[in-house]
Amino acid sequence: NAGVTQTPKFRVLKTGQSMTLLCAQDMNHEYMYWYRQDPGMGLRLIHYSVGEGTTAKGEVPDGYNVSRLKKQNFLLGLESAAPSQTSVYFCASSYGPGERFFGPGTRLTVL
Amino acid sequence: SQQGEEDPQALSIQEGENATMNCSYKTSINNLQWYRQNSGRGLVHLILIRSNEREKHSGRLRVTLDTSKKSSSLLITASRAADTASYFCATDGGYTGTASKLTFGTGTRLQVTL
C-alpha cells in the first residue's frame, strides 16, 4: 500500500496563478483533510471531507477550494495564488476521529 | 487558533538519555494524540490517549494525560539519534458539525546527539 500520496512535491507560482494539489489514499478512508504548515504556527486545517462528494471548511479556508469526486482523491485548488499562501501543504486521511495518516507534503512558493 | 502548546520548543539531549515533552491545552477533549515529523517529511502518528485514560505506553514511549490540569507529557526513554525530529501534540475536541477537529500545537524540536 502506498498510503497517502501527494503531487506535486514542489511548486513555484507567480502571484495570481492557479494550481491544483492532488491527494490520493489507498486505505479506503472516509475522511480526508488538507492542512498547511507554517513556521511557528503548527498545522492548520484548511478544508476537510467526510466522504465522497462532501467538503467542509476548516480553520483557514479563504483562498482555497476543494473537491472530493472520488473517495480516494481529495483536490485542493488555489484560484489566484498570493504570497501569503507560501507554505507546506499536507494531506491526511482517517477512518474516523482517531489517527490521521499524512502524506509527504507539497512545498509551495508564491512569488 | 492553537489548542495545544508544547514545551519546551527545543530540546537537545545525548543518546541514551530520556526526553520529556509537555503539552498544555485549553478546552475539553475527547482524546489527545502525539505525532512525530522528521525534517522535510509528513507527520507520523505515535500514540493516542483518550480523555478517560491517564497513562499509555508504546515501546519506548510513555504518554500521560491529566485532564484536570489540561496537560499531557510524552516521554521517550533511552533515546536514539533516529528519534531526532519534531514532536507535535494534537487535541481532538470531539465532533463539531460533521467531523471531529484535530488541533495541532507548534511542536517540540528534539535533537539527539551521539
Side-chain angles (χ1 to χ4, degrees):
Chain A
N1 287 350
V4 179
T5 58
Q6 294 181 232
T7 53
K9 288 185 170 53
F10 303 93
R11 187 73 186 266
V12 178
L13 290 178
K14 293 181 180 177
T15 297
Q17 288 185 318
S18 63
M19 79 163 294
T20 301
L21 282 69
L22 172 64
C23 176
Q25 53 96 4
D26 60 2
M27 296 172 282
N28 203 34
H29 286 166
E30 288 294 335
Y31 295 4
M32 296 187 74
Y33 315 83
W34 275 106
Y35 292 89
R36 60 177 288 173
Q37 184 176 35
D38 301 293
M41 296 289 290
L43 272 78
R44 292 181 291 170
L45 182 64
I46 304 171
H47 285 280
Y48 64 97
S49 168
V50 299
E52 182 179 314
T54 75
T55 63
K57 293 180 180 179
E59 185 184 353
V60 288
D62 293 343
Y64 305 95
N65 57 75
V66 287
S67 63
R68 183 100 181 267
L69 299 179
K70 293 182 178 180
K71 186 177 183 179
Q72 64 267 34
N73 295 338
F74 195 29
L75 278 64
L76 177 71
L78 285 73
E79 290 186 349
S80 180
S84 61
Q85 294 178 304
T86 293
S87 188
V88 182
Y89 292 86
F90 288 99
C91 176
S93 68
S94 68
Y95 285 116
E99 174 184 359
R100 268 48 163 185
F101 293 79
F102 281 84
T106 295
R107 188 173 296 273
L108 175 66
T109 301
V110 183
L111 302 175
Chain B
S1 60
Q2 301 304 127
Q3 162 76 311
E5 294 293 334
E6 287 93 339
D7 173 63
Q9 289 186 333
L11 180 60
S12 182
I13 60 173
Q14 291 192 316
E15 201 171 47
E17 293 179 337
N18 295 342
T20 300
M21 289 159 260
N22 303 297
C23 171
S24 59
Y25 57 92
K26 297 173 184 170
T27 61
S28 62
I29 60 171
N30 269 5
N31 66 70
L32 185 145
Q33 303 176 32
W34 286 91
Y35 288 80
R36 183 187 75 230
Q37 184 181 32
N38 291 89
S39 181
R41 302 289 185 94
L43 279 74
V44 174
H45 183 265
L46 295 175
I47 198 164
L48 180 153
I49 186 165
R50 302 188 195 285
S51 59
N52 60 354
E53 297 175 310
R54 292 296 167 257
E55 187 171 312
K56 206 161 183 180
H57 296 254
S58 177
R60 294 183 296 111
L61 305 180
R62 172 177 168 254
V63 169
T64 61
L65 179 64
D66 186 335
T67 52
S68 67
K69 294 182 179 178
K70 292 186 169 58
S71 67
S72 174
S73 68
L74 170 68
L75 169 68
I76 304 173
T77 59
S79 62
R80 305 166 182 168
D83 294 328
T84 295
S86 291
Y87 292 81
F88 295 87
C89 71
T91 53
D92 186 335
Y95 278 88
T96 54
T98 57
S100 69
K101 303 284 180 64
L102 199 61
T103 307
F104 287 82
T106 53
T108 292
R109 204 163 57 252
L110 174 66
Q111 175 79 42
V112 181
T113 56
L114 297 172

